[in-house]
Every structure is written in structure tokens, then in C-alpha cells.
Amino acid sequence: MADAQRPLPDPGEEDTLEFWAATREERLAYQQCTHCDTVVFYPRAHCTGCTSGRLEWRTAKGTGTIYTYSVVRQSYHPFFRLQVPYVVAVIDLDEGPRLVSNVLEVGNPDLSLIGKRVRVEWETHESVSIPLFRLI
């Protein structure tokens, strides 16, 4: 099990291509509509506010707040089995997007994590970097 590998996304998928390319530069990218200003995340071809295709890529500072979270205490995937227990959190980035990621090295998590501030850290792989977060 020591060689268990993290499952990685397909960096060539059309809608998320620019997002994953930005991760290789350790940039956390999101979209914003130039027609109605709606912040869009996860990446897609059309605005979720007005359905226009006028989406512009922006870069987040990489800081945010934990909206909610869950502690995973059991996993059947070889990579994640070695990580338990770990925190999966819904994170509100300061610029507006909400995303799901892991919060690293929390120790013994409890309900006090809600509202805590986090900062992005990068787990680098050949084709992408994975945005993970740490309490600040």
C-alpha cells in the first residue's frame, strides 16, 4: 500500500482545461461573467446567472473560510485509506467561489472548524497540482 497513488483529474477535459493549467502555475482560477458579474465555479461553458458564454478567468488569492466540513474516518480507496481520518471541507474563497477540498493536518476536528480561515497549498503532480488547504 505504500505506493498508493492519489486519483487525479483529467487535465484535458474541455471545460476545466484552463483551471488545471493554472494549477500547474499554483494559481487558483475561477470564472466570472462579464455580462452579469456572476462568479462561476466549477468551470463551465456558460454563466449560471444569465446563461451567457461571456466568462472570464480570474485568479483567487487562495484564502477563504470553511463553510462546512465532514471528517472521513473510513475509505476503501488505497490512497485515501492511508489518509484517514481527514477533513473534506466546503470552502468559501474570499472572491466568492465555493469549492470542495481537503483541509490538511487538522488533528482532532470538531465543530469549531466552521468559520475558520484557510489558505491554499499545492500538491504537485506531473500534469496538475491539487489545491489543498491549511488552517491559518
Side-chain angles (χ1 to χ4, degrees):
M1 260 213 259
D3 62 345
Q5 298 293 313
R6 175 186 286 279
L8 295 174
D10 176 2
E13 194 277 323
E14 186 176 340
D15 287 341
T16 61
L17 182 72
E18 290 190 50
F19 174 81
W20 292 115
T23 70
R24 287 193 300 273
E25 301 170 359
E26 296 188 351
R27 290 187 303 108
L28 191 53
Y30 66 96
Q31 295 169 299
Q32 188 161 8
C33 181
T34 60
H35 182 255
C36 73
D37 289 329
T38 297
V39 171
V40 176
F41 191 87
Y42 60 89
R44 56 194 95 197
H46 294 90
C47 175
T48 56
C50 70
T51 69
S52 83
R54 296 190 260 171
L55 296 173
E56 180 175 278
W57 286 95
R58 308 260 170 103
T59 300
K61 294 181 297 188
T63 54
T65 304
I66 296 175
Y67 174 75
T68 192
Y69 71 100
S70 181
V71 179
V72 177
R73 299 187 187 281
Q74 182 175 357
S75 178
Y76 296 102
H77 187 281
F79 175 81
F80 292 108
R81 187 179 306 137
L82 297 173
Q83 309 299 316
V84 296
Y86 60 90
V87 173
V88 177
V90 177
I91 297 166
D92 289 333
L93 294 177
D94 293 342
E95 294 80 6
R98 179 175 279 175
L99 59 85
V100 177
S101 186
N102 295 113
V103 180
L104 301 171
E105 298 179 13
V106 173
N108 187 16
D110 59 28
L111 291 178
S112 66
L113 286 181
I114 294 174
K116 296 287 187 185
R117 299 284 294 159
V118 291
R119 177 181 320 279
V120 72
E121 286 193 7
W122 298 96
E123 182 183 281
T124 304
H125 298 271
E126 187 175 320
S127 59
V128 298
S129 291
I130 304 296
L132 303 170
F133 288 80
R134 186 176 302 277
L135 294 171
I136 52 176

